[in-house]
Amino acid sequence: MSFETPLPPYNASDPHAVFINSSCFDFLLIEIVPLAERIAEDAASASQHNEAADEEAPKDSVFRRLESLGYRVGQGLVERFSRDRPRFTDNLDVIKFLCKDLWILLFRKQIDNLKTNHRGVYVLTDSAFKPFSRMSMRSSTEAVAKAQPFLWFPCGIIRGALASMGISATVQAESTELPNAVFQIKTVVARP
Protein backbone atom coordinates (compact mmCIF):
# COMPACT_ATOMS: atom_id res chain seq x y z
CA MET A 1 0.00 0.00 0.00
CA SER A 2 1.37 3.38 -0.86
CA PHE A 3 0.25 6.98 -0.77
CA GLU A 4 2.47 7.78 -3.71
CA THR A 5 1.12 8.00 -7.25
CA PRO A 6 1.93 4.69 -8.92
CA LEU A 7 4.43 4.93 -11.71
CA PRO A 8 3.61 3.17 -14.97
CA PRO A 9 3.67 0.35 -15.66
CA TYR A 10 1.41 -0.81 -12.87
CA ASN A 11 -1.17 -3.50 -12.92
CA ALA A 12 -4.47 -2.31 -11.48
CA SER A 13 -5.84 -5.84 -11.78
CA ASP A 14 -3.14 -7.18 -9.43
CA PRO A 15 -5.04 -8.44 -6.34
CA HIS A 16 -2.14 -7.45 -4.06
CA ALA A 17 -1.80 -3.89 -5.37
CA VAL A 18 -3.57 -1.40 -3.15
CA PHE A 19 -3.55 2.32 -3.85
CA ILE A 20 -4.76 5.10 -1.58
CA ASN A 21 -5.43 8.69 -2.40
CA SER A 22 -3.36 10.77 0.03
CA SER A 23 -6.05 13.45 0.05
CA CYS A 24 -8.29 11.10 2.02
CA PHE A 25 -5.90 11.16 4.97
CA ASP A 26 -5.59 14.95 4.75
CA PHE A 27 -9.37 15.32 4.79
CA LEU A 28 -9.63 12.92 7.72
CA LEU A 29 -7.19 15.02 9.75
CA ILE A 30 -9.03 18.21 8.82
CA GLU A 31 -12.46 16.92 9.82
CA ILE A 32 -11.76 14.59 12.74
CA VAL A 33 -11.07 17.37 15.27
CA PRO A 34 -14.29 19.36 14.61
CA LEU A 35 -16.25 16.10 14.69
CA ALA A 36 -14.78 15.14 18.07
CA GLU A 37 -15.52 18.65 19.39
CA ARG A 38 -19.16 18.45 18.22
CA ILE A 39 -19.59 15.04 19.86
CA ALA A 40 -18.13 16.37 23.12
CA GLU A 41 -20.41 19.43 23.01
CA ASP A 42 -23.45 17.24 22.39
CA ALA A 43 -22.52 14.98 25.30
CA ALA A 44 -21.95 18.01 27.55
CA SER A 45 -25.29 19.58 26.64
CA ALA A 46 -27.07 16.26 27.20
CA SER A 47 -25.63 16.07 30.71
CA GLN A 48 -26.20 19.77 31.37
CA HIS A 49 -28.60 18.99 34.19
CA ASN A 50 -25.55 18.26 36.34
CA GLU A 51 -24.69 21.64 37.89
CA ALA A 52 -21.13 20.67 38.80
CA ALA A 53 -20.12 20.34 35.16
CA ASP A 54 -16.39 20.68 34.69
CA GLU A 55 -15.24 23.09 31.98
CA GLU A 56 -12.26 20.86 31.17
CA ALA A 57 -14.48 17.80 30.63
CA PRO A 58 -15.29 18.52 26.95
CA LYS A 59 -11.60 19.15 26.20
CA ASP A 60 -10.63 15.92 27.95
CA SER A 61 -13.35 14.07 26.05
CA VAL A 62 -12.03 15.40 22.73
CA PHE A 63 -8.48 14.41 23.71
CA ARG A 64 -9.51 10.89 24.74
CA ARG A 65 -11.56 10.36 21.58
CA LEU A 66 -8.87 11.63 19.17
CA GLU A 67 -6.03 9.88 20.95
CA SER A 68 -7.87 6.55 21.07
CA LEU A 69 -8.82 6.77 17.38
CA GLY A 70 -5.19 7.53 16.54
CA TYR A 71 -4.05 4.66 18.78
CA ARG A 72 -6.09 2.17 16.78
CA VAL A 73 -4.89 3.61 13.47
CA GLY A 74 -1.27 3.37 14.64
CA GLN A 75 -1.73 -0.26 15.64
CA GLY A 76 -3.26 -1.13 12.28
CA LEU A 77 -0.56 0.65 10.30
CA VAL A 78 2.26 -1.12 12.09
CA GLU A 79 0.54 -4.49 11.83
CA ARG A 80 0.29 -3.98 8.09
CA PHE A 81 3.64 -2.39 7.27
CA SER A 82 6.08 -4.06 9.64
CA ARG A 83 5.03 -7.66 9.08
CA ASP A 84 7.68 -8.26 6.38
CA ARG A 85 10.48 -6.77 8.47
CA PRO A 86 12.76 -8.55 10.89
CA ARG A 87 11.99 -8.04 14.57
CA PHE A 88 13.46 -4.83 15.99
CA THR A 89 16.33 -5.34 18.41
CA ASP A 90 15.92 -2.29 20.63
CA ASN A 91 13.75 0.75 21.24
CA LEU A 92 15.95 3.06 19.17
CA ASP A 93 15.41 0.88 16.08
CA VAL A 94 11.65 1.10 16.64
CA ILE A 95 11.80 4.89 16.96
CA LYS A 96 13.91 5.10 13.79
CA PHE A 97 11.30 3.00 11.96
CA LEU A 98 8.65 5.40 13.22
CA CYS A 99 10.64 8.49 12.15
CA LYS A 100 11.53 7.23 8.71
CA ASP A 101 9.15 4.64 7.33
CA LEU A 102 5.91 5.29 9.19
CA TRP A 103 6.19 9.08 9.01
CA ILE A 104 6.81 8.90 5.26
CA LEU A 105 3.74 6.71 4.91
CA LEU A 106 1.59 9.18 6.84
CA PHE A 107 2.98 12.59 5.94
CA ARG A 108 5.17 11.93 2.86
CA LYS A 109 8.34 13.10 4.63
CA GLN A 110 10.70 11.97 7.37
CA ILE A 111 10.88 13.46 10.83
CA ASP A 112 13.35 16.35 10.66
CA ASN A 113 15.11 15.75 13.96
CA LEU A 114 15.31 12.93 16.50
CA LYS A 115 16.92 13.47 19.88
CA THR A 116 17.23 11.03 22.76
CA ASN A 117 18.77 10.94 26.20
CA HIS A 118 19.29 7.15 25.86
CA ARG A 119 17.13 6.67 28.96
CA GLY A 120 13.79 6.19 27.26
CA VAL A 121 12.98 9.76 26.26
CA TYR A 122 12.81 10.64 22.56
CA VAL A 123 12.01 14.03 21.04
CA LEU A 124 10.80 14.04 17.44
CA THR A 125 10.71 17.39 15.64
CA ASP A 126 8.83 17.99 12.41
CA SER A 127 9.54 21.53 11.25
CA ALA A 128 6.94 21.36 8.47
CA PHE A 129 4.15 19.25 9.98
CA LYS A 130 1.80 18.62 7.07
CA PRO A 131 -1.53 19.11 8.91
CA PHE A 132 -0.34 22.57 9.96
CA SER A 133 0.79 23.65 6.50
CA ARG A 134 -2.50 25.34 5.61
CA MET A 135 -3.48 26.67 9.04
CA SER A 136 -3.58 30.38 9.62
CA MET A 137 -5.15 32.76 12.13
CA ARG A 138 -5.01 36.45 12.90
CA SER A 139 -2.25 36.00 15.46
CA SER A 140 0.33 33.28 15.92
CA THR A 141 -0.72 32.64 19.54
CA GLU A 142 -4.31 32.04 18.41
CA ALA A 143 -3.07 29.69 15.69
CA VAL A 144 -0.95 27.68 18.13
CA ALA A 145 -3.86 27.36 20.57
CA LYS A 146 -6.25 26.21 17.82
CA ALA A 147 -3.65 23.78 16.44
CA GLN A 148 -3.13 21.83 19.67
CA PRO A 149 -6.12 19.44 19.18
CA PHE A 150 -4.78 18.54 15.73
CA LEU A 151 -1.73 17.01 17.46
CA TRP A 152 -3.76 14.57 19.56
CA PHE A 153 -4.62 12.18 16.71
CA PRO A 154 -0.95 11.87 15.60
CA CYS A 155 0.00 11.35 19.28
CA GLY A 156 -2.39 8.42 19.33
CA ILE A 157 -0.92 7.08 16.09
CA ILE A 158 2.58 7.18 17.60
CA ARG A 159 1.45 5.53 20.85
CA GLY A 160 -0.50 2.84 19.00
CA ALA A 161 2.40 2.12 16.66
CA LEU A 162 4.79 1.79 19.58
CA ALA A 163 2.36 -0.42 21.51
CA SER A 164 1.99 -2.68 18.50
CA MET A 165 5.78 -3.10 18.46
CA GLY A 166 5.89 -3.91 22.18
CA ILE A 167 6.80 -0.53 23.63
CA SER A 168 4.58 1.05 26.25
CA ALA A 169 4.96 4.83 26.12
CA THR A 170 3.37 8.17 26.77
CA VAL A 171 3.34 10.69 23.94
CA GLN A 172 2.95 14.45 24.31
CA ALA A 173 3.02 17.02 21.54
CA GLU A 174 3.32 20.77 21.37
CA SER A 175 3.77 23.49 18.85
CA THR A 176 5.29 26.86 19.61
CA GLU A 177 4.82 28.18 16.09
CA LEU A 178 3.20 26.82 12.97
CA PRO A 179 3.98 24.58 11.10
CA ASN A 180 6.45 23.22 13.69
CA ALA A 181 5.44 20.21 15.82
CA VAL A 182 7.44 18.50 18.57
CA PHE A 183 6.49 15.05 19.86
CA GLN A 184 7.96 13.80 23.14
CA ILE A 185 7.92 10.05 23.70
CA LYS A 186 8.62 8.63 27.17
CA THR A 187 8.89 4.88 27.26
CA VAL A 188 7.44 3.15 30.30
CA VAL A 189 9.61 0.40 31.74
CA ALA A 190 7.59 -2.69 32.62
CA ARG A 191 7.96 -3.73 36.23
CA PRO A 192 8.85 -7.39 36.81
Side-chain angles (χ1 to χ4, degrees):
M1 183 185 296
S2 174
F3 284 110
E4 301 299 320
T5 305
L7 299 173
Y10 64 91
N11 186 359
S13 64
D14 179 9
H16 300 290
V18 180
F19 305 106
I20 294 177
N21 187 338
S22 62
S23 298
C24 292
F25 187 67
D26 292 341
F27 292 140
L28 172 70
L29 289 177
I30 291 168
E31 289 300 321
I32 199 165
V33 172
L35 174 67
E37 290 172 345
R38 283 193 305 270
I39 291 172
E41 288 171 8
D42 291 346
S45 65
S47 64
Q48 194 175 25
H49 66 277
N50 183 0
E51 291 179 20
D54 186 13
E55 290 210 14
E56 290 294 316
K59 185 176 179 180
D60 290 341
S61 173
V62 170
F63 169 75
R64 280 193 309 276
R65 182 173 306 277
L66 291 173
E67 207 268 345
S68 65
L69 287 170
Y71 183 85
R72 180 61 194 114
V73 169
Q75 283 182 323
L77 286 171
V78 167
E79 287 171 10
R80 172 91 190 233
F81 293 105
S82 69
R83 68 176 176 216
D84 297 331
R85 296 179 164 270
R87 191 111 171 112
F88 296 108
T89 57
D90 65 347
N91 289 356
L92 188 57
D93 288 339
V94 172
I95 299 295
K96 286 179 182 178
F97 168 77
L98 178 84
C99 292
K100 293 178 181 179
D101 300 330
L102 193 63
W103 215 256
I104 288 173
L105 179 71
L106 292 170
F107 302 112
R108 295 179 292 288
K109 66 182 284 296
Q110 290 184 5
I111 285 284
D112 296 319
N113 194 358
L114 166 63
K115 293 181 183 175
T116 182
N117 66 356
H118 298 288
R119 293 189 184 112
V121 177
Y122 304 91
V123 179
L124 287 59
T125 304
D126 191 341
S127 60
F129 189 53
K130 186 151 174 66
F132 291 169
S133 65
R134 293 182 197 94
M135 282 189 177
S136 64
M137 297 283 174
R138 290 186 188 136
S139 69
S140 63
T141 55
E142 182 184 4
V144 169
K146 292 281 188 178
Q148 187 63 34
F150 289 89
L151 291 169
W152 296 336
F153 185 76
C155 281
I157 291 175
I158 293 170
R159 198 172 69 83
L162 292 173
S164 187
M165 292 184 279
I167 298 175
S168 181
T170 60
V171 181
Q172 296 175 334
E174 66 178 15
S175 179
T176 54
E177 66 177 333
L178 298 184
N180 190 31
V182 178
F183 297 90
Q184 184 179 32
I185 300 169
K186 292 182 183 177
T187 57
V188 178
V189 179
R191 294 183 181 170

